Amino acid sequence: MIKQTKVVGVVFMDENMTLAAFLESVERNAYLTARLSLQNSEDALDAVQDAMLKLSQQYANRPSAEWAPLFYRILRNRIIDVQRRNQTRKQWMAPTGASAEDEPAFEAVSTEPDVERLIDSDAARARMDEAIMQLPDRQREAFLLRSLDGLDVAETARVMGCTVGSVKTHYFRALQSLRKKLSEYMP
Amino acid sequence: MNSKDPNLQHYWQQQRDALSEDVLLRLRAARIRALEANPQFQRFRVPGWSLPAGVLAATVLLGLGVWWARPVSDASVRAADQSVIEDAELLASNEDPGLYAEDPEFLAWSQSQLGQERLKNSGRETLSGDSPQKGKP
């Protein structure tokens, strides 16, 4: 009998993988996905914990090959919930005359790199983070699910609740945007 | 740049490696909480009363082991002690230990001598017509 294996991120996922091993294999990627989407470490940790809990409580008896799309689907929904909650909070907390859109979405980082920053890898990573955070939500989702979490196009479509063609479009546009913004770092 | 781009994968690896110890600990705690919430996992959880029961069982087993491994009896200990003393006396004496070495010929001869001695004694008793029991009032 041929064993089915699948690459999720950098981890080979076996069909007989235990839930504990699966959660361990995805926890870092999931956290990075959530942090880049929510731009807040605490919110990201909460989202990952909620996703892990829900998968363990409700979907642990599913075949292990289904865990990755299910887990990222749950995580995505949780991220959207937190984003909406934060958006509402910003609207209520914003002083009159200033809308939530006027506020920077994350800590401001200069968008004009100087020569020193070009050769600094930390700066390059910061610039990459910034560029990913600036992507539109759907493009960022497609980009993170495909490149970081290692899902294929069909699984990404399932997680995002859209068509395969739509995933390809979002992903292509995300890559174009990143390539443009990071042309000085990534030839 | 695509999803398998080496630069991109290198970037993600750096991001994973750069996660702080605090974040990793909290992710681990989240994972453990999630697994504990799994109904299948709970089926195999050790119930709370099992610890004292285990300690009690271990104590009983230890007691049985000690009882089983105790010295067998005083008589056997005394016999063992006696043989040790005899061996020590032999070693301490100036006699040649070869004398006590097992010699089949000597044993056979001594057995025959012993047999003849007994025969003599029994004949003497028969001739004299009295036994030590009879001589007594």
Side-chain angles (χ1 to χ4, degrees), chain B residues 63-76:
Chain B
L64 282 172
V66 169
W67 179 79
W68 191 68
R70 79 194 192 288
V72 181
S73 70
D74 290 347
S76 61

Side-chain angles (χ1 to χ4, degrees), chain B residues 1 23 46 57 68 82-83 88 108 123 133:
Chain B
M1 188 161 64
V23 167
V46 179
W68 191 68
Q82 190 66 28
S83 67
Q133 296 295 328

Side-chain angles (χ1 to χ4, degrees), chain A residues 8 35 54 65 75 77 90 107-108 114 118 123 130 163 180:
Chain A
V8 176
R35 196 185 67 185
K54 194 167 181 182
L75 182 64
N77 290 340
K90 275 181 189 173
E107 284 184 27
D114 54 28
L118 286 174
E130 179 194 342
T163 63
K180 193 176 169 186

Side-chain angles (χ1 to χ4, degrees), chain B residues 64-133:
Chain B
L64 282 172
V66 169
W67 179 79
W68 191 68
R70 79 194 192 288
V72 181
S73 70
D74 290 347
S76 61
V77 171
R78 273 200 298 272
D81 289 347
Q82 190 66 28
S83 67
V84 169
I85 291 165
E86 284 171 0
D87 289 348
E89 282 174 352
L90 272 176
L91 290 170
S93 67
N94 288 326
E95 292 176 2
D96 182 9
L99 280 174
Y100 301 97
E102 201 167 315
D103 185 351
E105 287 180 8
F106 171 76
L107 283 173
W109 176 80
S110 66
Q111 288 291 328
S112 67
Q113 290 296 313
L114 196 63
Q116 284 176 9
E117 193 74 22
R118 278 183 186 155
L119 273 173
K120 279 180 189 173
N121 287 340
S122 62
R124 209 175 292 152
E125 283 170 6
T126 311
L127 285 172
S128 62
D130 57 355
S131 66
Q133 296 295 328

Side-chain angles (χ1 to χ4, degrees), chain A residues 10 20 24 27-29 31 36 42 45 49 52-53 56-57 125 128-129 132 143-144 147-148 171 175 178-179 186, chain B residues 1-3 7-9 11-17 19 23-24 26-28 30-31 33-35 37-40:
Chain A
V10 291
E24 190 177 0
E27 65 187 13
R28 292 186 187 203
N29 286 352
Y31 170 74
L36 287 166
E42 291 298 318
L45 283 166
Q49 177 168 319
M52 284 180 167
L53 264 173
S56 179
Q57 285 174 329
R125 282 200 298 276
M128 179 74 172
D129 282 356
I132 293 169
F143 175 73
L144 291 174
S147 74
L148 171 60
Y171 183 63
L175 289 184
L178 290 174
R179 195 179 288 127
M186 287 186 175
Chain B
M1 188 161 64
N2 57 50
S3 63
N7 286 329
L8 201 49
Q9 291 310 316
Y11 164 74
W12 290 130
Q13 190 56 49
Q14 282 183 322
Q15 293 288 73
R16 280 187 285 264
D17 294 343
L19 292 179
V23 167
L24 293 177
R26 290 177 68 181
L27 286 172
R28 185 168 175 269
R31 173 166 31 100
R33 268 197 292 274
L35 290 170
N38 178 10
Q40 289 176 335

Side-chain angles (χ1 to χ4, degrees), chain B residues 49-58:
Chain B
W49 50 263
S50 65
L51 183 65
V55 169
L56 184 66

Side-chain angles (χ1 to χ4, degrees), chain A residues 162-173:
Chain A
C162 61
T163 63
V164 168
S166 184
V167 169
K168 286 179 180 173
T169 306
H170 288 312
Y171 183 63
F172 177 74
R173 286 181 182 161

